[in-house]
Amino acid sequence: MKMGFRWYGEGNDTVTLDHVRQVPGVETIVWSLHGKQAGEVWEQAEIDAEVAKITGLSDEARARGITRTFDAEVVESVNVHESIKLGRTVLGLGRDEAIENYVTTIRRLGRAGVKVVCYNFMPVFDWLRTDLWHPLPDGSTALFFERAVVDAMSPQSLIADMEANTHGLTLPGWEPERLASFTELDAAYEGVTREDMYAHYRYFLDAVIPACEEADVKLGVHPDDPPYDVFGWPRVVSTKDDLACVLSLHDSPYHGLTLCLGSFSANPDQDPVDAVRTFMDRIHFTHVRNIKHLGNGDFTEVAHRACEGSVDTTGIMRAYAEAGYQGYVRPDHGRHLWDENTTNKPRPGYGLYDRALGIQYLLGAWDAFRYDA
């Protein structure tokens, strides 16, 4: 298993690579070209420059005696253009052109040494919360979801609320350039069914997976976040049955999961430990985080320790350890601790401290269960 840490890039993240170097156990920086829009081709020079930042060290750092470096083997995410999900031209780009661009990007990432690409197949919004800075009893804040609020809000008001509460940092999946065309997107999804989405998904996989095999880059789909249909748009990667259906669309081992256990577990009817054990051989990348169910589909994100919430993070790590999991893992959304949302002002869910604490908890569980095994 390789432990990763998501990083949004130089000048786009309040956490620096030098900060991450001091977190024991991190080997992989999980990165992306966050200035790229869905459907755009990633240029080789851009990819190589970002990989060089992650894997290299400055002369100044070396002079201070720093030797620790990272690999850049996981990209999160290469976003799927809405034309691919809809199976037709939308936002000025046709499905086949968008797929061709995706294939080109995959091949270039392979040349740069990338091994896994995370993506999702959610309509319009990649993820959804109703409060980005929800207060917890210990004085920290965290991401929070209240289903009744979503049911009562219009998508437009939600977009405005998200934009106003991000400390001025961009949120993946909520890019203003794409959401400026929200009216067109909303209209395009009218009448689209789950069956339509699966058919378009299969078309995408049939076109992209052969290139993944050639480039030695595995694709891992992220579960829907949260795992419910929202605003009438169908979501098709929400439950264990959905995951099985998605995997059945293409039997290549290069088509697999980024199994985010927090997203998956937001539906209390789902068993995350069972999902890990069931899909182990197709889990290329995993996010381990904890949430606390509050009833009515509501949840708040909490510390990674299992007893803090409703997700058996310890059981999850035991399942991975006993199987000798060889993929990539990272802590997911952390709480905002020790006044960092007023000092460092991180991206919601992506401060430094709680993710560093989460890594130590997850690695402690991994080490204990690997020793027992």
Side-chain angles (χ1 to χ4, degrees), residues 56-113:
L57 282 172
S58 67
D59 291 340
E60 185 273 337
R62 293 182 189 279
R64 288 190 286 125
I66 295 173
T67 59
R68 186 179 180 194
T69 59
F70 304 107
D71 69 58
E73 294 176 356
V74 180
V75 166
E76 184 178 346
S77 299
V78 180
N79 290 323
V80 176
H81 194 265
E82 300 295 331
S83 63
I84 297 172
K85 302 170 194 175
L86 287 162
R88 63 183 181 83
T89 298
V90 65
L91 304 182
L93 188 64
R95 170 171 65 172
D96 289 342
E97 183 182 357
I99 289 175
E100 182 179 348
N101 291 348
Y102 206 97
V103 165
T104 298
T105 296
I106 290 294
R107 287 179 171 145
R108 290 173 176 173
L109 289 171
R111 286 196 286 272

Side-chain angles (χ1 to χ4, degrees), residues 4-328:
F5 193 98
R6 192 172 188 184
W7 183 62
Y8 286 89
E10 203 168 77
N12 191 38
D13 201 321
T14 59
V15 178
T16 69
L17 290 177
D18 283 344
H19 291 149
V20 184
R21 289 186 217 286
Q22 297 176 35
V23 181
V26 177
E27 299 179 68
T28 300
I29 293 297
V30 179
W31 63 281
S32 185
L33 296 182
H34 291 285
K36 289 293 189 180
Q37 300 299 307
E40 283 190 276
V41 172
W42 293 20
E43 300 301 333
Q44 191 72 58
E46 297 173 308
I47 294 168
D48 292 344
E50 197 69 9
V51 168
K53 288 178 190 174
I54 292 166
T55 61
L57 282 172
S58 67
D59 291 340
E60 185 273 337
R62 293 182 189 279
R64 288 190 286 125
I66 295 173
T67 59
R68 186 179 180 194
T69 59
F70 304 107
D71 69 58
E73 294 176 356
V74 180
V75 166
E76 184 178 346
S77 299
V78 180
N79 290 323
V80 176
H81 194 265
E82 300 295 331
S83 63
I84 297 172
K85 302 170 194 175
L86 287 162
R88 63 183 181 83
T89 298
V90 65
L91 304 182
L93 188 64
R95 170 171 65 172
D96 289 342
E97 183 182 357
I99 289 175
E100 182 179 348
N101 291 348
Y102 206 97
V103 165
T104 298
T105 296
I106 290 294
R107 287 179 171 145
R108 290 173 176 173
L109 289 171
R111 286 196 286 272
V114 170
K115 297 301 180 185
V116 174
V117 167
C118 170
Y119 71 103
N120 72 77
F121 217 74
M122 287 177 260
V124 187
F125 299 145
D126 286 5
W127 59 278
L128 184 60
R129 298 292 185 274
T130 55
D131 188 349
L132 303 179
W133 311 101
H134 184 73
L136 296 178
D138 61 7
S140 64
T141 65
L143 301 173
F144 178 83
F145 179 82
E146 187 173 1
R147 198 166 184 179
V149 170
V150 174
D151 292 342
M153 291 180 79
S154 69
Q156 293 88 341
S157 61
L158 184 62
I159 291 168
D161 187 64
M162 293 285 277
E163 288 179 346
N165 289 286
T166 63
H167 287 160
L169 296 165
T170 58
L171 294 179
W174 293 81
E175 295 83 3
E177 297 87 348
R178 184 168 60 94
L179 295 180
S181 303
F182 170 78
T183 301
E184 180 184 349
L185 280 177
D186 190 29
Y189 275 100
E190 186 172 353
V192 174
T193 66
R194 287 173 57 86
E195 290 71 25
D196 295 331
M197 290 284 285
Y198 281 127
H200 302 156
Y201 200 165
R202 185 190 295 274
Y203 186 96
F204 167 71
L205 293 171
D206 286 347
V208 172
I209 292 300
C212 292
E213 293 171 340
E214 293 169 9
D216 194 25
V217 176
K218 294 177 179 177
L219 285 188
V221 64
H222 189 291
D224 301 327
D225 184 11
Y228 310 108
D229 291 355
V230 294
F231 302 122
W233 308 319
R235 290 185 161 195
V236 296
V237 196
S238 293
T239 67
K240 182 182 178 183
D241 288 345
D242 290 347
L243 297 182
C245 182
V246 164
L247 292 176
S248 74
L249 297 177
H250 203 294
D251 63 4
S252 170
Y254 281 79
H255 164 47
L257 305 175
T258 294
L259 187 54
C260 176
L261 281 312
S263 300
F264 181 78
S265 300
N267 180 341
D269 295 332
Q270 302 303 305
D271 182 341
V273 177
D274 173 64
V276 169
R277 294 191 185 280
T278 299
F279 301 116
M280 182 68 71
D281 63 343
R282 300 288 285 275
I283 302 172
H284 303 322
F285 181 28
T286 186
H287 301 168
V288 183
R289 63 177 164 88
N290 203 354
I291 63 168
K292 187 171 184 176
H293 295 130
L294 303 173
N296 304 313
D298 302 347
F299 62 88
T300 187
E301 305 200 10
V302 293
H304 285 75
R305 191 180 180 206
C307 64
E308 296 288 332
S310 306
V311 180
D312 185 6
T313 50
T314 306
I316 287 165
M317 294 309 295
R318 179 170 195 150
Y320 281 127
E322 290 178 347
Y325 178 62
Q326 297 296 306
Y328 300 84

